[in-house]
Amino acid sequence: MGEMVMAGYGLDKAVRASGSFDTPCGALLRELEQIWTEIGEREQDKDRMFLELETECMRVYRRKVDSASAERAQLRQSLMAKEAELKALVASIGENTTRFKVDEKHTSLKDQLAAVTPLLEELRAKKEERIKQISNVQSQIEKIKAQISDHGYQNYDACVKQLSDDHDLSTRRISDLQMQLRNLQKEKSDRLQKVFVYVDEVHGLCAVLGMDFAETVKEVHPSLHGTNSENSTNISDSTLEGLTQTILKLKAEKKTRVLKLQEIVEKLHKLWNLMESAEQERRQFAKVAAVLGSSEEETTSPGILSLETIQETEEEVERLTKQKASRMKELVLKKRLELEDVCRNAHMEPDMNTAPEKIIALIDSGLVDPCELLSSIEVQIAKANEESLTRKDIMERVDKWLSACDEETWLEEYNQDDNRYSAGRGAHLNLKRAEKARILVQKIPTMIDNLIAKTFAWEDERNVPFLYDGVRLVAILEEQKLRRAQREEDKRRCRDQKKLQSLLLREKELIFGSKPSPRKTNSFNRRMSNHHSNGNGTGFMTPVPRRVSAGSATPELLTPRSYSGRYNNYFKENRRLTAAPLNFSAVSKEDSMSSFASISGSEPDSPLYLH
């Protein structure tokens, strides 16, 4: 209207005078025209000024139109952007599109913008919520994946920034992510449980082996010790593999140490038994000693396989080994004495290879293990005990024979006593003993014959000679048998000499007519008695044995060394005898006279007369 009015002013005055001046603008134009008329402006000037005024008004209107057009374009662009954003949010969130459509009754741009803005704000808020929800789930997923893969994971802000450009924020995606998170959480739980089981096993093995558990697991991963949070515990494949390898190494080390400790404990047991160690000394290593009878799985005592324990056990073995070296001589010699006692009781000769001087030499030289030497002597003791049982019957007969010999010795001494028939104290007991002794002495030849027969039977059964203190018993018995025969022969010769002397005395009495004076008789008897005391003329004394020459067919034999009475003294002084027969033709006349004097008191009416 203004343009039309202003345009009219530039055409003619009639138009300027029209009713268009009824408007405020027209009234101002009329007032301006009146002022110019009063001033006296010319019509040409008035037209020119009205034209300028019209041009200026046109410029003002144009600026206003341009401004309004720009605002409209801006509103349209903003509306389009918000509608596009609205559509994008609706698509990314996955909401129902009908709810977020603009009402068609709004025709103006500002009304449309006013309707779109709250919907857009609502969707933006929902998008932020979805982003936070998804980023939270995805952050947990990435964190668990990082723990499993042992790689670093993105922080929360980076995850949110990444999701801001994401076009899928639907509930379906959230469900998928939550399902993935649950699966990863289950895998994490399984791995964590597996790690805990491995760590417990490592802890048990370290306790048995006496190793530092913290240092051992830290070598696998630092997070396996010194933390109370499950989330900080590394559960990656490398950690599980490291724990597996550590367990295998610890088990191999445990097996090695068990075998080593069992070997040491076995030596320790042998040394204990050998050294006869006290129970208190053994109690210190009771736990270690239990390893010998336990398997590898049963060895679970803390520190039982530690290097310190093994070293202490080795030191104990070394200590006992040193003691064994110093005491082994005593033990071996003690066993040797035990062997000698067994052999002495059974009148056997021990093996000279284990003589004390040889034992000491062997141990000092180190050529023989003392344990083997001790075992050898124990075997010899067992064999000696076994053999002594087989010799028991013969040895009992030998003891009876020796007892009879003792009684024979006593009887000989009793016969030499001039006061044996006196009425002194105990004389009747000696008479009774003498009667029993004569009966027993008469059985000696039978005892010897039976003993020889028994000994021959024993030797035939075992195909070895029966030795008595190193001498063949049969040789001893036959020797004694021959000597008894010699004694009987001496007795016979003595009796013949006695008869001859009686005849000579009678002839002297007939020739000289008188008997020998008592002084001469006493002198003769005293000489005979002195001669008898020297032990050279009695028939009951065993003559001094002769040593057999190197060319003799009968070997030299050792004699018994435990006879009692006169036989005992004889065998102690003469260790070796020969079984060769004696030379009966070498008996001198002086021996015959001595024998005669020794038995002069054994007349037939005497209680000591030997039949």
Side-chain angles (χ1 to χ4, degrees), residues 330-388:
E330 300 177 6
L331 293 174
V332 175
L333 292 175
K334 181 180 178 181
K335 287 294 182 181
R336 170 65 185 186
L337 291 176
E338 183 180 347
L339 174 62
E340 290 180 354
D341 289 339
V342 173
C343 292
R344 186 181 299 109
N345 294 331
H347 292 276
M348 298 184 298
E349 285 294 320
D351 187 4
M352 297 307 296
N353 292 327
T354 57
E357 57 276 6
K358 290 187 177 180
I359 289 175
I360 295 175
L362 289 173
I363 294 177
D364 292 340
S365 65
L367 298 175
V368 178
D369 185 4
C371 296
E372 295 180 359
L373 190 58
L374 188 64
S375 300
S376 176
I377 295 177
E378 289 177 348
V379 171
Q380 292 179 18
I381 292 173
K383 289 182 178 179
N385 286 324
E386 182 180 354
E387 186 174 353
S388 65

Side-chain angles (χ1 to χ4, degrees), residues 107-164:
T107 56
S108 65
L109 294 176
K110 289 185 177 181
D111 291 340
Q112 291 180 7
L113 284 174
V116 169
T117 299
L119 296 176
L120 188 59
E121 293 294 331
E122 181 181 356
L123 287 176
R124 284 175 179 173
K126 185 169 290 190
K127 178 181 179 182
E128 292 296 327
E129 182 182 356
R130 292 283 180 87
I131 287 175
K132 290 181 180 180
Q133 187 175 2
I134 292 176
S135 64
N136 185 25
V137 176
Q138 199 162 9
S139 176
Q140 296 182 48
I141 291 174
E142 293 299 326
K143 187 176 181 180
I144 295 175
K145 284 183 177 180
Q147 290 177 348
I148 294 175
S149 61
D150 200 18
H151 296 111
Y153 59 92
Q154 296 178 353
N155 56 23
Y156 180 80
D157 295 334
C159 186
V160 172
K161 183 178 180 181
Q162 182 181 359
L163 289 174
S164 298

Side-chain angles (χ1 to χ4, degrees), residues 187-197 230 233 235:
E187 183 178 356
K188 176 184 176 181
S189 178
D190 294 341
R191 284 173 172 262
L192 194 61
Q193 185 66 26
K194 202 171 185 179
V195 168
F196 288 158
V197 171
E230 293 182 357
T233 302
I235 57 174

Side-chain angles (χ1 to χ4, degrees), residues 287-430:
K287 291 184 179 180
V288 178
V291 176
L292 188 60
S294 303
S295 62
E296 181 181 349
E297 293 75 13
E298 295 173 346
T299 307
T300 57
S301 299
I304 193 67
L305 298 178
S306 65
L307 295 176
E308 292 79 7
T309 302
I310 295 176
Q311 184 177 0
E312 290 176 0
T313 310
E314 287 179 338
E315 291 176 354
E316 179 67 11
V317 170
E318 291 178 1
R319 185 183 70 84
L320 292 176
T321 302
K322 292 179 180 179
Q323 286 187 0
K324 182 190 74 172
S326 62
R327 293 179 56 190
M328 185 54 67
K329 292 180 183 179
E330 300 177 6
L331 293 174
V332 175
L333 292 175
K334 181 180 178 181
K335 287 294 182 181
R336 170 65 185 186
L337 291 176
E338 183 180 347
L339 174 62
E340 290 180 354
D341 289 339
V342 173
C343 292
R344 186 181 299 109
N345 294 331
H347 292 276
M348 298 184 298
E349 285 294 320
D351 187 4
M352 297 307 296
N353 292 327
T354 57
E357 57 276 6
K358 290 187 177 180
I359 289 175
I360 295 175
L362 289 173
I363 294 177
D364 292 340
S365 65
L367 298 175
V368 178
D369 185 4
C371 296
E372 295 180 359
L373 190 58
L374 188 64
S375 300
S376 176
I377 295 177
E378 289 177 348
V379 171
Q380 292 179 18
I381 292 173
K383 289 182 178 179
N385 286 324
E386 182 180 354
E387 186 174 353
S388 65
L389 293 177
T390 63
R391 297 163 58 96
K392 183 177 180 181
D393 183 36
I394 296 178
M395 293 305 301
E396 289 177 353
R397 293 175 180 268
V398 170
D399 291 338
K400 291 180 180 180
W401 167 57
L402 293 177
S403 178
C405 292
D406 290 340
E407 289 299 308
E408 185 180 20
T409 302
W410 178 87
L411 184 60
E412 291 177 0
E413 295 175 354
Y414 179 76
N415 288 336
Q416 296 172 8
D417 187 5
D418 296 334
N419 300 323
R420 59 184 179 275
Y421 297 121
S422 64
R425 185 177 181 180
H428 65 288
L429 296 177
N430 290 332

Side-chain angles (χ1 to χ4, degrees), residues 237-301:
D237 292 337
S238 61
T239 300
L240 292 174
E241 180 65 22
L243 287 173
T244 302
Q245 294 299 325
T246 301
I247 290 173
L248 292 177
K249 290 180 181 178
L250 291 176
K251 286 184 176 180
E253 181 66 18
K254 179 181 179 182
K255 183 177 181 180
T256 302
R257 292 191 185 184
V258 164
L259 294 176
K260 183 177 181 180
L261 188 59
Q262 285 179 344
E263 182 179 355
I264 297 173
V265 170
E266 187 176 359
K267 295 180 181 178
L268 187 62
H269 271 291
K270 290 181 179 179
L271 289 171
W272 279 345
N273 296 332
L274 184 63
M275 306 291 288
E276 297 180 354
S277 300
E279 186 65 26
Q280 183 178 0
E281 186 178 352
R282 300 188 183 194
R283 193 178 298 114
Q284 298 177 359
F285 295 89
K287 291 184 179 180
V288 178
V291 176
L292 188 60
S294 303
S295 62
E296 181 181 349
E297 293 75 13
E298 295 173 346
T299 307
T300 57
S301 299

Side-chain angles (χ1 to χ4, degrees), residues 23-40:
T23 61
C25 185
L28 290 173
L29 287 175
R30 266 195 317 275
E31 183 178 359
L32 180 60
E33 185 177 6
Q34 289 175 2
I35 294 171
W36 282 344
T37 300
E38 292 177 357
I39 293 173

